[in-house]
Amino acid sequence: MTVTLAPDVPGLAEAARLLAKGELVAFPTETVYGLGGDARSDRAVARIFEAKGRPSFNPLIVHLPDLETIERLAEVGPKARDLAQAFWPGPLTLVLPLRDGSGISPLVSAGLPTVAVRVPAHPLAQSLLRAFGGPIAAPSANPSGRVSPTRADHVLEGLSGRIAAVLDGGPCAVGLESTIVMADPEPVLLRPGGLPVEALEAALGAPLAIGGDAGRPTSPGQLASHYAPNAALRLNATLPEPGEVLVGFGPVKGAMALSVSGDLVEAAARLFHVLREADRLAGPGGRIAFAPIPETGLGLAINDRLRRAAAPH
Ligand code: TXA
Ligand code: MG
């Protein structure tokens, strides 16, 4: 049985109590819902992999309330510090060298000498981290390879009965996973996400190298067929073919829209919800077409997720 916890003091206390017992609790962040477990507990982390059905070579993101607590377990280099100061709390994940004696379960980093860390901005995520008082490992709260959850009912659709609880904080404001960067010695983008690359480049005062590739799955989000809906997907469509559900954007009108006004922030926030709705509408063996999305700002991450959703699976 998975219980739904209200976003109030008793709900937070119960969520923190379950985490302290080694149980799994899904919780809202500004990006997507995370599937949280105590990052220091091998058993809790193993349960995360089991609940998601995730290949265990894929490392997880550790969530903490601030830079200070992160510095206890990882080395924050000069460029990482600049980015942390500019964008935390927020939709940025930094990959940092892990300190000896960090206490983080080796399962979290899948044996790598580095750890991915992030300070979420969502007030409930912040409250939960402070109530729990320790690092929370949390991948997106969906079965491996499926669409990420941006609402509590999305979490339940995929993981009901497999986790202890979900803390219901309503829809996620950003709607795309965090942007992942390895900042030092030279900054490399490992996954486009909810923080636009242009903002990172402005803060660094230099262009960002693009790293990671689908053939080398250092990031599960980088696997070619990640975020798979059931229906087949066609991108850059301006008109639906017979039998297709067209998802519009701006001037391209469809059965539903990512953003009628062509707003990329709204489109990002709605993306995973709309993918689920279009999948339902298309039905078994159905087909979905997406209107073109510009390759700027959050459009980069939206197109990245759409290409992966469209990859053969
Ligand atoms: O917005 C987000 O980042 C959400 C919320 C819940 O915080 N979390 C999320 O986690 O998207 P997940 O597990 O779905 O994606 C984590 C990504 C993976 O692509 C993983 O490979 C990468 O982080 N990652 C983790 N540790 C890493 C490391 N040491 N080096 C490189 N990539 C790493
Ligand atoms: Mg994920």
Side-chain angles (χ1 to χ4, degrees), residues 189 192 197-198 294-305 307:
L189 177 72
V197 170
E198 292 89 339
E295 277 281 346
T296 56
L298 291 176
L300 203 72
I302 295 172
N303 282 317
D304 171 79
R305 304 303 188 270
R307 279 191 293 273

Side-chain angles (χ1 to χ4, degrees), residues 55-290:
S56 56
F57 52 78
N58 290 332
L60 307 177
I61 296 174
V62 173
H63 298 68
L64 279 162
D66 49 34
L67 178 57
E68 197 187 316
T69 45
I70 281 174
E71 283 185 290
R72 290 184 208 145
L73 56 100
E75 285 161 35
V76 182
K79 294 197 179 89
R81 184 171 307 276
D82 287 348
L83 295 181
Q85 278 162 356
F87 300 114
W88 277 347
L92 170 69
T93 292
L94 292 170
V95 173
L96 304 171
L98 194 55
R99 280 190 201 283
D100 288 340
S102 67
I104 296 295
S105 162
L107 283 174
V108 166
S109 52
L112 294 169
T114 53
V115 63
V117 288
R118 142 168 151 75
V119 177
H122 196 295
L124 280 174
Q126 278 285 334
S127 301
L128 180 61
L129 283 162
R130 292 181 195 279
F132 175 58
I136 300 180
S140 51
N142 52 283
S144 190
R146 311 308 301 188
V147 176
S148 293
T150 52
R151 302 175 183 219
D153 54 309
H154 296 168
V155 175
L156 293 171
E157 264 171 47
L159 296 175
S160 184
R162 304 179 68 87
I163 61 176
V166 56
L167 186 61
D168 188 351
C172 301
V174 176
L176 289 170
E177 300 86 345
S178 60
T179 301
I180 306 182
V181 174
M182 170 109 73
D184 298 287
E186 292 309 322
V188 179
L189 177 72
L190 298 177
R191 176 178 76 180
L195 181 65
V197 170
E198 292 89 339
L200 286 161
E201 293 184 331
L204 290 163
L208 197 57
I210 311 290
D213 73 70
R216 217 166 24 109
T218 48
S219 294
Q222 301 304 107
L223 291 172
S225 71
H226 208 62
Y227 311 106
N230 293 310
L233 229 75
R234 187 168 68 89
L235 307 184
N236 296 314
T238 46
L239 286 172
E241 288 175 358
E244 271 181 347
V245 172
L246 178 65
V247 179
F249 179 83
V252 177
K253 305 296 174 209
M256 57 186 84
L258 278 180
S259 168
V260 171
S261 63
D263 176 358
L264 287 169
V265 173
E266 184 189 21
R270 284 174 49 75
L271 177 65
F272 291 133
H273 183 65
V274 164
L275 258 174
R276 284 165 197 270
E277 289 299 306
D279 211 15
R280 241 190 296 274
L281 199 58
R287 289 180 301 137
I288 307 170
F290 269 85

